[in-house]
Amino acid sequence: MVHDEVPLPPVPEPPPFERGAPVVLRSVRDHGRPHGVAVGYAVAGTVVLDDDDVMVVSTRPGSGVRMRAGVGAGPNSRIVLPAAWDGTYDERAWQGHTVVRVHRRGDRWSVWRWHDGERWTDRWYGNLESPWRRSTVGFDTQDWALDVVAAGSPLGGPWTVGLKDEDELAWMVDQGYVTDERARHVRVVGARLLRHARDAGWPFDADWDAWLPDARWGAVPLPDGWQQLPGAE
């Protein structure tokens, strides 16, 4: 049976965050020996909305980012396999425009859109991942490698949609990091999101101006203890 949940013990969720709260969004995975369950990727941001149904987080350029340190491999030379990870992290900062991530509770993806300070760009991203789980410092999920990318306007067009990183997912299966069963599940969800995006389903058809971050919000650093997980040794 395929489990979509983040590999963390069940604990009561904290209450929703207030608008403007600094948070960290973490991708959590069981990396196997010797690391076990650990954060693989973390990015800081600010809560735009958190109402138990929809969670929206914005990340300004310069906000804190951490990625597993080590030699990358795979088709794009960016996948650090467990054997190549020493348990430390590279310290980076978010680059480019402000990104706004929208997740509806229970969905196996979040949808991202970029704002250049004056307008929304025509770039869209559907990140396949585990349903978000609220933590004391932000939200936890697990990235699934496969993604959906889109460009243009979903309402009125032109509107182009496609899959991204199919080769990375296949390589991870070849390396034994992802099982065949898991990969099939990810591809099924990817096909579902692909159709959803082509049909301009929510939130592609939403009023994104309602989720504009406050212009006064700046870059957010990662909080102390950002890598600490409940129940993980």
Side-chain angles (χ1 to χ4, degrees):
M1 180 178 179
V2 175
H3 297 283
D4 288 346
E5 293 78 14
V6 177
L8 290 171
V11 295
E13 268 197 332
F17 290 100
E18 297 290 335
R19 177 179 167 87
V23 291
V24 56
L25 183 61
R26 308 184 292 192
S27 177
V28 179
R29 182 182 297 276
D30 187 346
H31 297 276
R33 294 181 180 180
H35 308 294
V37 177
V39 177
Y41 174 84
V43 58
T46 306
V47 172
V48 178
L49 174 68
D50 181 14
D51 66 2
D52 262 335
D53 180 42
V54 176
M55 304 153 180
V56 182
V57 176
S58 70
T59 297
R60 294 285 193 193
S63 294
V65 176
R66 298 292 185 277
M67 302 180 71
R68 284 180 296 148
V71 178
N76 296 304
S77 300
R78 67 182 188 183
I79 302 173
V80 179
L81 291 174
W85 183 37
D86 63 3
T88 64
Y89 296 88
D90 287 333
E91 182 176 343
R92 305 184 185 185
W94 186 258
Q95 302 293 321
H97 298 312
T98 296
V99 64
V100 176
R101 298 174 173 89
V102 177
H103 174 73
R104 178 169 54 193
R105 183 175 288 274
D107 281 350
R108 272 64 181 165
W109 57 72
S110 60
V111 177
W112 307 4
R113 199 176 177 190
W114 283 259
H115 196 275
D116 66 8
E118 296 182 358
R119 64 177 183 85
W120 293 104
T121 74
D122 66 354
R123 179 185 175 197
W124 303 71
Y125 199 88
N127 198 64
L128 268 65
E129 59 195 5
S130 299
W132 290 16
R133 171 173 161 174
R134 194 180 296 116
S135 74
T136 57
V137 295
F139 303 97
D140 292 336
T141 182
Q142 180 185 114
D143 187 87
W144 291 357
L146 189 65
D147 303 300
V148 168
V149 291
S153 172
L155 301 177
W159 180 234
T160 60
V161 180
L163 286 172
K164 177 178 178 290
D165 295 335
E166 296 168 280
D167 53 349
E168 286 192 6
L169 180 60
W171 184 84
M172 292 168 76
V173 172
D174 289 341
Q175 296 297 309
Y177 190 40
V178 174
T179 65
D180 288 327
E181 180 187 21
R182 180 66 174 173
R184 283 194 295 271
H185 176 68
V186 171
R187 293 185 181 108
V188 167
V189 176
R192 187 183 308 151
L193 178 55
L194 192 68
R195 292 192 299 270
H196 188 73
R198 285 173 173 162
D199 293 341
W202 191 95
F204 295 97
D205 63 346
D207 176 14
W208 281 72
D209 284 348
W211 298 323
L212 276 172
D214 193 306
R216 297 169 295 180
W217 295 346
V220 176
L222 286 167
D224 292 338
W226 62 268
Q227 74 274 41
Q228 296 174 1
L229 299 173
E233 298 297 332

